[in-house]
Amino acid sequence: MAGKVAKSLARFIEPMECLPVPKLPTGQGWLYEIKLDGWRLESVKTGGKVMLYSRRGKSFNSQFSDIANALNYLPDETVIDGEVVALDENGRPNFNLLQNFRSAGANIKYFAFDILMHK
């Protein structure tokens, strides 16, 4: 079957971890992002279904079904890396609210920061 390209299916991709350093690098080639204080959440859409994973590959679908439903519009074979965060009444991340997210309900947000795969 010459000329056929193998279709790559979306799957969990182990995320890159932060690297602790004693001093921040300086210079024009460096950018920094705000620490959101949430849980890493990778979303994978394949076969018409969205799966949510922790940074260790544990399913987060039951905890964050609203996020999975909201991402259902994504095309199959898409993988997005991000962080789920609970925001307090002033719009600031609050890890305690996230740990008790059932009471935080509407204040749960998914911050997508990297598209790892998109077909």
Side-chain angles (χ1 to χ4, degrees):
M1 293 199 207
K4 276 200 131 182
V5 177
K7 185 175 181 180
S8 183
L9 297 178
R11 60 176 173 66
F12 172 76
I13 300 169
E14 189 173 338
M16 185 182 296
E17 298 286 336
C18 295
L19 177 64
V21 295
K23 183 179 174 194
L24 292 176
T26 58
Q28 292 184 349
W30 293 96
L31 297 173
Y32 301 95
E33 63 185 47
I34 296 171
K35 172 69 174 108
L36 292 172
D37 204 17
W39 288 328
R40 191 75 169 262
L41 183 74
E42 187 173 301
S43 59
V44 177
K45 171 86 182 280
T46 189
K49 185 174 179 184
V50 174
M51 291 298 299
L52 305 176
Y53 297 98
S54 72
R55 73 171 165 215
R56 300 285 182 240
K58 176 187 166 198
S59 175
F60 267 173
N61 279 63
S62 62
Q63 294 95 322
F64 302 109
S65 60
D66 288 346
I67 293 172
N69 291 336
L71 296 174
N72 206 35
Y73 76 92
L74 292 170
D76 277 348
E77 314 326 320
T78 299
V79 179
I80 297 176
D81 192 8
E83 192 162 348
V84 64
V85 177
L87 301 177
D88 68 14
E89 61 278 354
N90 296 313
R92 293 181 302 224
N94 183 312
F95 193 72
N96 185 49
L97 283 177
L98 182 61
Q99 290 178 310
N100 300 294
F101 70 91
R102 294 199 193 288
S103 63
N107 293 325
I108 300 295
K109 305 293 181 195
Y110 179 47
F111 290 85
F113 50 74
D114 212 353
I115 300 172
L116 304 178
M117 182 178 189
H118 180 68
K119 293 286 178 169

